[in-house]
């Protein structure tokens, strides 16, 4: 393990103003996104869409890393430049999603476990040869009105995340560790805080036991937020306070960066929450974004699969990157959404 390399890559991804674009939708997930804008999910359409994102001028000021899906890492621009090479040449670190998705956890009917550890070492070697310098693994934790998640469900997922992170660091690949507590459901913010606390505690206990170098990883958590079906929704301020209280207790200061997932929040809410969290700083870690939907939903809506909408799509994308770059420093205001 080259500790200096891991540290410097992790830091570069969350450098000043910068965050991560999560463009690692699996084929079934990108199909769902394309269905919304009535675009067929062919290999070429997926390639073209990602090309539009990665060639947008100016994003390198705000995007430190991009998470790719296996298929995308093997693709390139129309003129044949591999995407990983294009991104690197623009100073953006290419990364790769390496988990194989969340499956039913045997004998725990309401919980999931993320698969993909078998053969992971060999896959990481190949991804590294193709230019990936960091990776992502997502564990999915659902909250229900009864006793889910169970202590075992949390521990099993934390163990998987730590096994993955150790395999990455063995090969000098920075692991993004993503334990996602879903926003689905009717739970309130207090329940989300309790569950997020338990999950983070379990994750860092396992990471430590697996000898993972905290300085050479990034954490990708959910914000502490009520479920979408909860009758009591919370102010931006309350979400920011609960999130920071929870992270301050459970995330070691040695971790260089926390990059939030958006998890189904609107693009504006995700930016506003990030801003508010940063306004409460300084924090011991860089606090930034690793958004999928919150960066891309407005871009997909502007593009609609039409070449004629190319500049509108790229302008929309650059604007979301800029606004999140500001939020990352606590310098965003909701009024900027409508300003030209
Ligand atoms: P969202 O921001 O859409 O939640 O996606 C981030 C991600 O990478 C989920 O694994």
């Amino acid at each position: 393990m080259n500790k200096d390399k891991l540290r410097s890559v992790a830091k570069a991804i969350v450098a000043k103003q910068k965050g991560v674009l999560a463009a690692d939708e699996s084929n079934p997930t990108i199909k769902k996104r394309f269905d919304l804008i009535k675009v067929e999910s062919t290999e070429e359409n997926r390639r073209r869409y990602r090309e539009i994102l990665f060639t947008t001028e100016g994003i390198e000021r705000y995007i430190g890393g991009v998470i790719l899906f296996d298929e995308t890492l093997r693709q390139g621009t129309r003129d044949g430049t591999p995407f990983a090479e294009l991104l690197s040449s623009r100073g953006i670190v290419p990364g790769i999603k390496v988990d194989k998705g969340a499956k039913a956890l045997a004998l725990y009917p309401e919980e999931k476990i993320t698969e993909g550890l078998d053969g992971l070492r060999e896959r990481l070697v190949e991804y590294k040869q193709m230019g990936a310098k960091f990776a992502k693994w997502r564990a999915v934790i659902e909250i229900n009105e009864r006793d889910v998640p169970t202590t075992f469900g949390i521990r099993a997922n934390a163990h998987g995340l730590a096994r993955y992170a150790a395999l990455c660091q063995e090969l000098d690949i920075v692991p993004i560790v993503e334990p996602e507590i879903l926003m689905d459901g009717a739970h309130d913010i207090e329940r989300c805080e309790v569950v997020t606390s338990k999950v983070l505690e379990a994750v860092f206990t396992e990471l430590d036991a697996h000898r993972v170098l905290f300085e050479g990883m990034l954490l990708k958590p959910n914000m502490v937020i009520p479920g979408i079906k909860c009758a009591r929704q919370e102010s931006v301020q309350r979400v920011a306070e609960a999130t920071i209280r929870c992270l301050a207790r459970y995330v070691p200061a040695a971790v260089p960066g926390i990059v939030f997932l958006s998890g189904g929040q609107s693009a504006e809410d995700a930016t506003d929450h990030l801003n508010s969290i940063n306004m409460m700083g300084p924090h011991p870690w860089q606090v930034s974004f690793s958004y999928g939907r919150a960066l891309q939903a407005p871009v997909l809506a502007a593009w609609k699969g039409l070449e004629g909408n190319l500049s509108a799509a790229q302008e929309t994308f650059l604007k979301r990157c800029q606004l999140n770059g500001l939020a990352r420093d606590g310098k965003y205001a909701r009024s900027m959404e409508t300003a030209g």
Side-chain angles (χ1 to χ4, degrees):
M1 167 160 80
N2 181 337
K3 294 184 180 178
D4 289 340
K5 185 170 173 212
L6 288 167
R7 273 194 206 101
S8 72
V9 171
K11 271 195 194 154
I13 295 169
V14 290
K16 212 170 157 32
Q17 283 198 321
K18 293 183 186 178
V20 175
L21 164 66
D24 60 328
E25 298 83 2
S26 63
N27 286 350
T29 302
I30 196 76
K31 182 179 180 313
K32 278 193 240 161
R33 311 275 186 262
F34 279 8
D35 282 349
L36 292 172
I37 54 164
K38 299 192 170 54
V39 170
E40 198 189 340
S41 183
T42 61
E43 187 178 343
E44 172 55 18
N45 284 344
R46 294 191 292 269
R47 190 204 64 77
R48 180 62 186 142
Y49 170 61
R50 267 75 181 240
E51 180 176 38
I52 290 171
L53 296 176
F54 306 158
T55 55
T56 300
E57 273 176 42
I59 58 160
E60 64 280 1
R61 289 199 290 277
Y62 314 104
I63 301 294
V66 174
I67 318 172
L68 305 168
F69 181 57
D70 181 280
E71 175 187 274
T72 320
L73 184 60
R74 299 172 195 281
Q75 291 175 327
T77 58
R78 206 168 262 168
D79 65 14
T81 310
F83 283 140
E85 201 179 305
L86 168 82
L87 292 167
S88 297
S89 72
R90 303 186 62 189
I92 300 172
V93 185
I96 178 78
K97 182 233 295 293
V98 300
D99 67 71
K100 296 215 159 169
K103 309 284 159 62
L105 178 62
L107 307 187
Y108 282 78
E110 295 181 277
E111 290 174 88
K112 295 220 158 69
I113 183 76
T114 302
E115 295 189 347
L117 287 171
D118 285 1
L120 180 56
R121 182 181 273 126
E122 292 72 26
R123 285 196 290 129
L124 286 169
V125 168
E126 189 195 5
Y127 290 144
K128 186 173 167 172
Q129 280 162 359
M130 289 194 281
K133 294 194 166 48
F134 73 98
K136 183 194 100 170
W137 177 286
R138 171 176 176 253
V140 180
I141 309 282
E142 202 170 320
I143 299 181
N144 77 11
E145 279 135 60
R146 295 174 301 280
D147 52 0
V148 166
T150 61
T151 303
F152 180 76
I154 291 174
R155 211 196 307 150
N157 274 291
H159 184 83
L161 279 164
R163 289 271 313 277
Y164 138 82
L167 282 162
C168 287
Q169 289 195 339
E170 181 186 73
L171 288 164
D172 305 328
I173 293 172
V174 170
I176 293 193
V177 172
E178 179 180 12
E180 172 170 10
I181 290 140
L182 296 180
M183 273 172 73
D184 301 351
H187 56 272
D188 56 21
I189 193 169
E190 287 82 5
R191 182 92 200 283
C192 184
E193 186 170 346
V194 168
V195 174
T196 304
S197 300
K198 281 191 190 156
V199 169
L200 291 177
E201 196 205 350
V203 166
F204 281 99
T205 301
E206 287 290 332
L207 288 169
D208 200 26
H210 283 73
R211 303 185 171 167
V212 169
L213 180 77
F214 293 163
E215 291 84 348
M217 62 163 277
L218 296 170
L219 178 73
K220 176 162 174 167
N222 51 281
M223 293 178 187
V224 175
I225 203 166
I228 29 179
K229 291 193 208 123
C230 179
R232 181 163 52 87
Q233 290 299 315
E234 304 287 350
S235 65
V236 170
Q237 176 80 10
R238 287 257 305 160
V239 169
E241 282 166 4
T243 302
I244 279 306
R245 185 167 56 232
C246 187
L247 295 173
R249 285 180 183 158
Y250 296 100
V251 184
V255 172
I258 290 174
V259 288
F260 289 106
L261 58 96
S262 60
Q265 300 178 49
S266 71
E268 293 82 359
D269 282 353
T271 308
D272 212 354
H273 286 141
L274 177 65
N275 185 66
S276 194
I277 290 167
N278 273 305
M279 280 175 71
M280 291 172 190
H283 302 300
W285 349 261
Q286 297 297 312
V287 178
S288 190
F289 57 90
S290 175
Y291 293 159
R293 283 162 288 179
L295 280 171
Q296 294 185 57
V299 184
L300 285 162
W303 176 52
K304 298 191 188 75
L306 303 173
E307 282 302 313
N309 293 337
L310 176 66
S311 19
Q314 291 192 326
E315 270 167 37
T316 304
F317 183 44
L318 180 61
K319 179 169 178 186
R320 286 264 54 92
C321 293
Q322 276 168 334
L323 293 178
N324 283 300
L326 287 169
R328 190 216 172 301
D329 282 336
K331 292 181 183 147
Y332 161 86
R334 202 103 179 181
S335 56
M336 293 171 182
E337 293 290 347
T338 43

